[in-house]
Amino acid sequence: PRVPMEASGTSGMKAALNAVPQLSTLDGWWEEGWDGSNGWTIQRHEEALSPEEADARDAESLYRLLEEEVVPLYYERDARGIPIGWVDRMRNALRVAAGQFTAHRMLRDYSERYYVPAMRGDVSADDPPIA
């Protein structure tokens, strides 16, 4: 996805709760959820780029990550045929997601940020970004 147009990210959170390492742009839930041990990230661009330039840079980063980090980690096996590094990423994906993205947190965040202020009459500026 183009930053900052990531959707809510619930599919990524659900995948992580099933021990799936992620690879995505630093946007949406992944900006908060990525800790370096639970997947990979396509870094943000420091300079302003056209959408086409940003897409090309993101594609280059994606292919580099796949070729140099993701695929080799998956295929690097121990004597028993177990991809130890990949399993570590899986464990970390589950650990981070289970610690941060819970129904309890969702209810607390919605209550504190939206429901209680709305009950007080406070108007929130919660409009989505426009690309």
Side-chain angles (χ1 to χ4, degrees):
R2 286 189 179 139
V3 176
M5 302 306 290
E6 171 63 48
S8 66
T10 53
S11 60
M13 291 178 217
K14 286 186 271 187
L17 285 167
N18 284 286
V20 176
Q22 303 290 301
L23 190 168
S24 188
T25 56
L26 271 180
D27 190 19
W29 84 279
W30 193 229
E31 183 172 22
E32 179 184 350
W34 177 65
D35 74 354
S37 72
N38 56 341
W40 301 265
T41 186
I42 296 170
Q43 295 293 326
R44 285 197 171 128
H45 313 289
E46 296 300 320
E47 67 278 4
L49 300 172
S50 71
E52 294 78 17
E53 292 170 321
D55 287 349
R57 181 124 4 122
D58 288 349
E60 181 181 320
S61 180
L62 171 65
Y63 292 130
R64 184 195 59 74
L65 284 167
L66 287 170
E67 291 173 5
E68 297 176 10
E69 297 183 33
V70 178
V71 173
L73 187 66
Y74 180 79
Y75 283 105
E76 185 177 311
R77 310 286 171 129
D78 69 5
R80 300 169 295 167
I82 298 172
I84 300 297
W86 187 264
V87 171
D88 284 342
R89 291 271 174 154
M90 291 173 64
R91 285 187 185 123
N92 289 325
L94 177 55
R95 176 187 52 79
V96 170
Q100 291 185 35
F101 305 107
T102 64
H104 181 271
R105 178 191 165 189
M106 176 196 64
L107 289 172
R108 185 188 69 238
D109 285 356
Y110 272 91
S111 295
E112 292 173 1
R113 295 180 186 178
Y114 304 106
Y115 300 149
V116 171
M119 290 169 57
R120 289 188 192 127
D122 297 339
V123 178
S124 170
D126 187 38
D127 292 328
I130 298 173

